[in-house]
Structure formats: structure tokens, C-alpha cells
Amino acid sequence: MTKVTMTVNGKTVSGDVEGRTLLASFLRDDQGLTGTHIGCDTSQCGACVVHVDGVAVKSCTMLAAEADGATVDTIEGQANADGSLNVIQQAFQDHHGLQCGFCTPGMVMSAAALLKENPKPSEQEVREYLEGNICRCTGYHNIVKAIMAASGQDVTAIAAE
Amino acid sequence: MYNFDVEKPGTIAEAAAAMGADEAQALGGGQTLIPTLKQRLASPSKLVSLKGVAEMQGMGKDGNTLRIGGATTHATVAADGSYPALSALASHIGDPAVRNRGTIGGSLANNDPAACYPAAALASGATIVTNTRQISADDYFQGMFDTALEEGEIITAVSFPIPQAANYQKFVQPASRFALVGVFVAKYADGVRVAVTGASNEGVFRWTEAEAALSTNFSASALDGLTVDPDNMITDLHGAAAYRAHLVKVMTGRAVTAAG
Ligand SMILES: Cc1cc2nc3c(=O)[nH]c(=O)nc-3n(C[C@H](O)[C@H](O)[C@H](O)COP(=O)(O)OP(=O)(O)OC[C@H]3O[C@@H](n4cnc5c(N)ncnc54)[C@H](O)[C@@H]3O)c2cc1C
Ligand code: FES
Ligand code: FES
């Protein structure tokens, strides 16, 4: 076991991990932050996306030991300070960007990374950025619409399909 | 996953020493290795993480050569732009999260038959720099998942001569995001090089007939009379050998046209 320390959603946390402990497992099992989901074994679904030092990574494909000393942001840290949903989360609710909700934490974290890099993406850019986030329910359309709306763009022309 | 220790060296010398341990294995971005470990297809005793080796990070141009540290991420290469066709290739590997972790050294060490970087390295006549020697791309790729790397050898950097014109065309296999067929065309003063990934049972290869034709006439029409032999091409549920052979020519033509 090795001791790791990291800043998760603004708080310093530490724990003892095995070499093989994934960042996703550390967050879920050690820290109780179960908003980060594990949807596959093949690094393809994106349900586990968190931000490490400001960029989107698949927490199922990074070792907890590699995140020692890093700043990690998860879905639990996304709401506004008063507990209300942040602009991306609210847009997902307003535009029906989720159904079962399993993919949603990863979708919101990917969307947040996209809007940080590219505050006014085109619909095509949103779709390309979400290549590594799989949703089995929505057909993506309303997810794209929600992210476009969260970026402050007019989405009335995007039909709800 | 079987358990293993994780070591985090800060220099190439420390990394090379750590790799000397029994059953030690390099860890680049983990975007291939971690899924492999989850399937218990490997059981290293120790992973040597290369992410903390500062000498292996980042990239820089020296005259007409672009040197990329072996632990440089796909995202960093994508954002660079001193070799535009290479940055464009990096920007379409997998998805953003994969690009934020995956490294050029890991991709070349793995030499997946459908990976993108091997095509760029071979078409550019790149040099693979390791902790012990320099290997030309023509000698480096030795078949599917097979390379000239020795046990414990680390790719510390890759040097690319920047071509006059180049382009990579990837026919995406939509489930995996790898190349069903990908073709990298690079035009240098002394001739054109064409490297194909995703297609052959032997891994990445040079299409020498196309190179000869394009070196005389750099236009898609120069390929008109050529055919690609489907004999040694991959057949899987995503595409048959004949389909892949056909795609090689189509993608080469598109790459030439796009390179201009
Ligand atoms: C969803 C998904 C989609 C992907 N799509 C694509 C794609 O479209 N095109 C593509 O080309 N790739 C794709 N990849 C693979 C990705 O590019 C990987 O990042 C890459 O293949 C391996 O790089 P890594 O740094 O992650 O290496 P690791 O996974 O850490 O290592 C891979 C192998 O290389 C060895 N190794 C690592 N670094 C070094 C080094 N510096 N020297 C010597 N040996 C080393 C390791 O021991 C291991 O055997 C995809 C991966 C995923 C998960
Ligand atoms: S759980 Fe991480 S990509 Fe599927
Ligand atoms: S809402 Fe169910 S997987 Fe996306």
C-alpha cells in the first residue's frame, strides 16, 4: 500500500492504495464519491470522466497512485456554492439531456471541459468532443442541445428529435 | 487486475534502472496498458510511470526536425502545429480524455496494427530515440504489435523530419475510434512516402508502388493504374480484406488531394 494525497473538489484527501487501485475506485470506494460511474472495462464509455489538473480524463484508466498530488474535480463538485445546479447541469434538466442518468456525470464533466476550451462550440464540435461518452438512452440529441444552451447559444432551431 | 507496484522516476536514468527489475513494464498514458491489465492479459510486478520524467515531456523544432518527447500526450501534439498533418492526426486519436493521457511513446511501443502514429512515423521516416540508441522507422516496425525495442528499452523521444506537404486520412472504425484503414502521405524534396495502417496482418507498411508513382506525379490520378493486393490484408467483422485493400487506394488518393 502507498499513501496518496490529492485535492478532490477543493478538499485535501488522502488514503492508502494498492498499485492497481484505479482513480475511479479511489473516488468511489475510499472517498464515497459515487457520482463518478464505471460503465465499462474497455475505456470506451466515458461514464467515469473527471478532471485531473483541469483536463478531462477517464478515471477508470488512470491509477490512483498517478493522481498523487493532483487536483481532481468530480461531478460532486459541480453544483454552485448555494447547492443549486450549475449552468450545465441546469441545461441538462431543462432540455431533457438525460433519461436513466448513468452517463450523465461523465457527460457533464466532458461538457465542462469542452466549454472551458471552447466557450461557443458548434453543434458539430460538441458531437466530436463527446466521442468518448456513450449514452444508451437519449440518442445524444438533447445532450448536444443542453450543452449548446449551456454555452449561451440559441437552441430553438435545434429540433427535439 | 493482478496487483503490482508503481514506481515514479524523475529522470530517464532512474526510469531505465527501474525497468531493470524482474517483470517491470513501462507505463505511459495507460490508455492501452490499463485496459490490458484489467483483462489480465499482462501481469507485471512493477509499472514504471514515465509521466514524471521531465526530459520526456514536450516538443520542439530544431531547423526542419520536430522532436517530441516520448511521454508527450496526444493532446499536446494536437495543439502544437509545427507539423500540421501530425497535429491533425493526433487530434483525431480516440477521444479528448484518451488524448489527455495517451502518449506518443506508448503508441509506438504498442504498435497496434490499427494505430495512427505508426503511419506518421513510417511515412515521415522518423527516428525513434530510446534510452540506448536511435532506430529508423524503417527498421523499427516489425509486424503487428512487434517492434525493434528490446526488453526494458524506453522510447525517450521521436524525431520527425518535417515534409513539404503531408496529410493523414483515417477511415474511422466507429466503435473503437481506431483506423479501419489510415494512410499517411508525406512529400519530401527527395520523394514521397506512403504508410498504411489498419489494413495489413503485418501491421503498418509502406505502399512502395504508390510512392514511386507519386514521386513522379503528386496527384491522386497518379494512382489510377495501381491496385492493392488483398492477400495479406486483415479480415474481421468490420471489413473484409478486399474492402480494406480498396480503401487503401481511396484513402491514399484523398490524402494526396488534401496535402495539395
Ligand atoms: C477509447 C480509445 C480509443 C483509442 N483510439 C485510438 C486511435 O484512434 N488511434 C490510435 O492510434 N490509438 C488509439 N487509442 C490508443 C491510445 O492512443 C493509447 O494512448 C496508445 O496506444 C498507448 O499510449 P499510452 O501512452 O497510453 O501507453 P500505455 O497504455 O501506457 O502503454 C502501452 C504499451 O507501451 C509501453 N510503453 C509505454 N510508454 C513507453 C515508452 N515511452 N517506451 C517504451 N514502452 C512504452 C507499455 O509498457 C505498454 O506495453 C485509443 C485508446 C482508447 C482507450
Ligand atoms: S468506465 Fe471509464 S470509460 Fe467506461
Ligand atoms: S441517460 Fe441513460 S445512458 Fe445516458
Side-chain angles (χ1 to χ4, degrees):
Chain A
M1 300 288 252
T2 349
K3 186 171 171 174
V4 294
T5 302
M6 55 191 98
T7 306
V8 179
N9 299 327
K11 281 206 306 251
T12 303
V13 304
S14 54
D16 290 319
V17 298
E18 289 186 320
R20 66 179 161 184
T21 305
L22 300 170
L23 177 58
S25 317
F26 178 75
L27 293 170
R28 290 175 55 83
D29 304 339
D30 288 55
Q31 300 302 315
L33 297 171
T34 54
T36 297
H37 291 167
I38 298 177
C40 73
D41 265 344
T42 50
S43 307
Q44 284 174 309
C45 76
C48 63
V49 169
V50 302
H51 298 181
V52 176
D53 293 331
V55 300
V57 308
K58 291 176 175 172
S59 61
C60 76
T61 316
M62 177 170 182
L63 302 174
E66 293 180 282
D68 188 28
T71 297
V72 179
D73 294 291
T74 74
I75 190 68
E76 285 87 350
Q78 295 299 297
N80 297 322
D82 65 1
S84 60
L85 298 180
N86 80 3
V87 61
I88 298 171
Q89 294 170 311
Q90 188 60 51
F92 269 68
Q93 188 180 75
D94 293 345
H95 296 279
H96 199 178
L98 63 151
Q99 289 179 24
C100 80
F102 194 85
C103 70
T104 312
M107 289 287 178
V108 169
M109 296 311 288
S110 282
L114 166 65
L115 297 184
K116 201 165 78 169
E117 264 174 46
N118 182 357
K120 293 264 181 278
S122 67
E123 192 178 330
Q124 185 57 29
E125 286 169 336
V126 174
R127 289 184 187 276
E128 279 175 14
Y129 203 89
L130 296 181
E131 266 170 358
N133 291 84
I134 293 175
C135 175
R136 299 198 66 175
C137 303
T138 65
Y140 303 97
H141 209 74
N142 286 343
I143 293 176
V144 175
K145 193 172 176 178
I147 296 171
M148 296 292 287
S151 74
Q153 302 185 77
D154 180 10
V155 294
T156 46
I158 304 178
E161 272 173 26
Chain B
M1 271 192 273
Y2 298 111
N3 201 14
F4 45 77
D5 294 331
V6 179
E7 194 156 330
K8 297 197 274 182
T11 65
I12 293 171
E14 286 169 16
M19 288 291 287
D22 211 25
E23 306 287 327
Q25 189 171 359
L27 174 65
Q31 303 301 294
T32 296
L33 184 53
I34 293 177
T36 307
L37 293 169
K38 287 183 190 175
Q39 292 177 57
R40 295 194 162 178
L41 294 174
S43 51
S45 63
K46 181 199 283 186
L47 292 188
V48 180
S49 169
L50 302 172
K51 288 263 173 186
V53 179
E55 307 156 77
M56 287 175 59
Q57 293 285 351
M59 51 205 295
K61 223 167 109 169
D62 180 9
N64 216 28
T65 303
L66 179 64
R67 190 174 196 282
I68 305 179
T72 306
T73 62
H74 308 330
T76 301
V77 177
D80 181 75
S82 32
Y83 182 169
L86 187 69
S87 293
L89 171 148
S91 74
H92 286 97
I93 294 176
D95 56 62
V98 167
R99 296 194 286 272
N100 283 333
R101 295 292 301 164
T103 67
I104 188 168
S107 177
L108 292 176
N110 194 49
N111 192 21
D112 187 297
C116 301
Y117 270 129
L122 190 58
S124 309
T127 303
I128 318 299
V129 183
T130 77
N131 56 316
T132 56
R133 58 189 170 138
Q134 307 213 345
I135 313 169
S136 82
D138 285 311
D139 299 328
Y140 177 82
F141 299 103
Q142 303 196 341
M144 206 183 255
F145 296 112
D146 198 8
T147 71
L149 291 179
E150 304 281 352
E151 196 71 23
E153 196 169 355
I154 299 168
I155 299 178
T156 55
V158 189
S159 285
F160 290 87
I162 300 174
Q164 295 166 342
N167 188 260
Y168 177 62
Q169 289 287 321
K170 174 180 179 183
F171 194 94
V172 175
Q173 199 276 81
S176 75
R177 316 231 55 93
F178 277 77
L180 186 66
V181 167
V183 178
F184 200 105
V185 172
K187 180 171 181 273
Y188 291 91
D190 60 354
V192 175
R193 288 170 67 109
V194 177
V196 180
T197 188
S200 168
N201 283 316
E202 317 266 295
V204 68
F205 70 95
R206 282 173 69 185
W207 185 17
T208 47
E209 291 86 353
E211 293 181 351
L214 292 167
S215 294
T216 330
N217 171 18
F218 194 67
S219 89
S221 63
L223 305 169
D224 281 349
L226 304 182
T227 49
V228 180
D229 185 0
D231 229 19
N232 215 357
M233 298 275 155
I234 299 169
T235 289
D236 59 19
L237 82 153
H238 309 293
Y243 181 57
R244 281 190 162 85
H246 174 75
L247 275 181
V248 171
K249 183 164 158 179
V250 172
M251 291 293 122
T252 307
R254 286 186 192 169
V256 172
T257 304

